[in-house]
Amino acid sequence: QVRVVESGGGLVQPGGSLRLSCVASASAFSISTANWYRQAPGNQRELVASITGGGATNYQDSVKGRFTIIRDNTKNTVYLQMNSLKPEDTAVYYCNIVLRTLGNYWGQGTQVTVSS
C-alpha cells in the first residue's frame, strides 16, 4: 500500500501561520496530483488546494492569497503553507494523493485549530 503521513497541525491564534506536510511513499509521486482537503465538525469535506504533477495549482476561494500549496518531488512531499489563519479554517486537514493508474490515497488527517 501507498503510505501517506501528515504532520504540522496544531493550535494557532487568528492571524498566525502553520505549515502542513504530507509525505507519500509512492514511487510515482512526481506525476501525481496532490490535494489538501479539510472537514470541520458537522460539515462536508471540502477541497482546499491542489497541485498537479506539472505544478499547476488551484485554491478554494476562501483561502486564495493566504494558503500556498507546494510540492518537493525529491522528498515525495507536499506542503500547505497557511498564513493569516482564521477561526473558520479550523478543521481536520487531509492529504490526498491521486495517481490515475493506481488510485487515490489518503492520510489520517491532522487537526488545525485557530482560536484565541
Side-chain angles (χ1 to χ4, degrees):
Q1 291 185 329
V2 174
R3 186 182 179 212
V4 179
V5 180
E6 299 154 322
S7 62
L11 174 65
V12 65
Q13 293 189 345
S17 298
L18 287 172
R19 189 173 81 159
L20 307 183
S21 299
C22 172
V23 181
S25 63
S27 60
F29 176 83
S30 64
I31 61 172
S32 71
T33 291
N35 305 303
W36 283 99
Y37 286 80
R38 68 186 181 189
Q39 187 167 21
N43 293 336
Q44 296 187 32
R45 188 173 297 183
E46 62 181 359
L47 179 63
V48 177
S50 63
I51 185 166
T52 69
T57 59
N58 198 18
Y59 299 92
Q60 184 190 102
D61 287 344
S62 66
V63 308
K64 287 180 179 177
R66 300 189 297 120
F67 290 13
T68 305
I69 188 168
I70 307 157
R71 70 189 303 153
D72 184 345
N73 291 333
T74 68
K75 299 179 179 179
N76 278 15
T77 301
V78 60
Y79 305 96
L80 185 67
Q81 178 66 46
M82 305 185 295
N83 299 324
S84 301
L85 283 161
K86 304 175 180 179
E88 304 92 272
D89 297 317
T90 296
V92 178
Y93 284 70
Y94 297 92
C95 181
N96 169 233
I97 305 298
V98 181
L99 290 160
R100 295 183 70 178
T101 59
L102 296 175
N104 291 6
Y105 303 92
W106 294 85
Q108 293 300 304
T110 185
Q111 176 71 48
V112 172
T113 302
V114 185
S115 177
S116 60

